[in-house]
Amino acid sequence: MQGYEPVQQNNVQQSNSNTYNNSLSSTLEEPVYETIWRDVKAIGLKVRIVLVPFGNNLNALRDWDLWGPLLMCLTLALVLGAAKSTVDSAAMFAGVFVVVWIGSSIVTLNGQLLGGTLSFFMSLCVLGYCVFPLVVCSIIFYWLNTWYLRLMLVVPACGWSCFASTAFLSGSVPQDRKALSMFPIGLFYVFISWLVLSM
Amino acid sequence: MTDIEKGNLTTDTFPGDEDDNATPATSFLTQEERYTAVGSSGNKIEDAREFIRTTYNQGCPCGHPIATFFHLFFKVGALFVYFWSMFATSFVIPFVICILFISFDFWTVKNITGRLMVGLRWWNEVQEDGSNVWRFESRENLDDVAQMDSYFFWVVLYAQPVLWVLILIVSILLAKPSWFFVNALAIVLGSFNAWGYFKCQKGKNIIKANTKNGGYNLLWHGSWL
């Protein structure tokens, strides 16, 4: 299992088939912890990209993975559910979980039907990762209860999420349909921010 | 005096040939298979030792016992938590654990146990222009895949979605709608893995890869949606 240089499996943008096949064969024999660590680093990288959505980071979300959306969704649902009384917490958890997943799917479907060129999973990935500022807000709000401080935090967070997701997704829809495809994304994040604000 | 004791190691008989009792290590092989295994050295004793060493590992007649364990662990864990939640009152914790187990199981089978146990691999690639390509690969030399490993891998891989479909039918009858999502997720992810590995086996359009360090064949290159 030793003796192979671990190469980023997703770094296959080269058109040269020799280097392509070399990079593939090295990852087929790699030790297990390399595989795990590579995926963990990829998730961390994407979260950092969402935090600073400028410049040539836009291409890095091309290697989609659904771990980010799953973790964001679970964290958000758990925190929002834990903030409610025990009677409501399960319902809140289920509600948030469903809203995030079905909301993302519907927004993605909308983008696809309007002629977007992005793949379904890539849009899901972007939307899931861009919930991250709101997840951070919700964790802060677990202890912060004053409404005006919450408002001061949630509005920039919502704006940040919307800005990040439109930065990644707007390039793929035709010019005349941009507003039509970006509006549901804005609605999605405003809805989640409202849930976070009122937790 | 046997041939070995006489110092004659080049005969076609093996120590223990006279004694027909198979050792525990090789009891699952026929006598033919046990003694006709040929490896790289050409010397039958060395090759037999090599064969036994690669297929008998830590008391289990399979090549990768740890991978086999994990192949099963998350699936059984998800089933266990699912059935336990039927009788427990809490909803959130079992739900989260179930979802995580199913996701970990998908990732483990796709990234680890597939390539370790049967030498196959599949994934999705997004090209420069945004289109999708699905890649299915197999190791070039599949001779050293242990038979127990292969059998176990495929049976468990195909049994998982089938089992969860049966559970879905049962839970529809028992009317527990909050768990449909978990059920659907298990079925979807299980079928996805089964489809991917099934495609790896098809073996169409084999393109010879660079065979340095044991190269891997690109088995199928197609586009999806």
Side-chain angles (χ1 to χ4, degrees), chain A residues 48 62 73 96 109 123 140 175-176 186:
Chain A
R48 251 181 291 141
R62 197 172 294 278
C73 179
V96 173
L109 219 60
S123 302
I140 297 174
Q175 267 306 112
D176 50 345

Side-chain angles (χ1 to χ4, degrees), chain B residues 49 69 78 105 120 133 143 157 173 189 203 205:
Chain B
R49 282 206 194 106
F69 169 74
D105 167 66
L120 300 172
V133 163
D143 294 338
L157 183 74
L173 297 174
L189 291 184
N205 301 330

Side-chain angles (χ1 to χ4, degrees), chain A residues 1 4 13 19 26 30 43-44 52 66 69 72 75 82 101 111-113 126 135 145 154 160 181 197:
Chain A
M1 292 274 186
Y4 292 104
Q13 307 296 341
T19 48
S26 60
E30 68 185 2
I43 297 175
V52 190
L66 288 180
M72 298 298 163
T75 316
W101 276 109
Q112 301 252 289
L113 291 173
V126 168
V135 171
N145 276 318
V154 92
W160 196 349
S181 50
L197 186 60

Side-chain angles (χ1 to χ4, degrees), chain B residues 16-82:
Chain B
D17 230 359
E18 317 82 32
D19 174 14
D20 231 15
N21 295 330
T23 64
T26 54
S27 54
F28 66 97
L29 300 170
T30 65
Q31 184 127 355
E32 278 286 308
E33 288 166 337
R34 218 174 297 140
Y35 296 135
T36 56
V38 175
S40 45
S41 71
N43 175 337
K44 279 195 180 165
I45 295 180
E46 282 305 317
D47 296 339
R49 282 206 194 106
E50 169 74 21
F51 184 81
I52 293 169
R53 190 182 59 77
T54 55
T55 58
Y56 179 59
N57 193 341
Q58 297 167 27
C60 154
C62 53
H64 294 98
I66 301 180
T68 313
F69 169 74
F70 276 108
H71 189 63
L72 253 190
F73 172 69
F74 291 121
K75 294 184 172 65
V76 168
L79 279 169
F80 180 72
V81 171
Y82 186 86

Side-chain angles (χ1 to χ4, degrees), chain A residues 1 4 12-13 20 22 24-25 27-30 32 35-36 39 62 64 67 70 78 93 97 119, chain B residues 92 95-96 103-104 107 112 115-116 121 123-128 132 135 137 181 210 213 216:
Chain A
M1 292 274 186
Y4 292 104
V12 287
Q13 307 296 341
Y20 173 80
N22 263 333
L24 289 184
S25 56
T27 58
L28 207 54
E29 286 288 343
E30 68 185 2
V32 173
T35 318
I36 298 177
D39 276 352
R62 197 172 294 278
W64 56 269
W67 281 115
L70 178 73
L78 278 173
F93 173 87
F97 196 84
S119 80
Chain B
V92 175
F95 186 88
V96 170
S103 315
F104 290 158
W107 185 89
I112 311 260
R115 65 180 170 88
L116 285 181
R121 178 175 69 173
W123 76 96
N124 170 278
E125 222 172 77
V126 180
Q127 307 287 67
E128 292 283 351
N132 263 324
R135 300 218 184 268
E137 274 206 333
F181 183 82
N210 180 359
N213 287 334
Y216 297 91

Side-chain angles (χ1 to χ4, degrees), chain B residues 83-101:
Chain B
F83 283 119
W84 173 61
S85 74
M86 294 274 188
F87 308 107
T89 49
S90 67
F91 168 73
V92 175
I93 303 290
F95 186 88
V96 170
I97 295 179
C98 236
I99 299 255
L100 287 178
F101 271 177

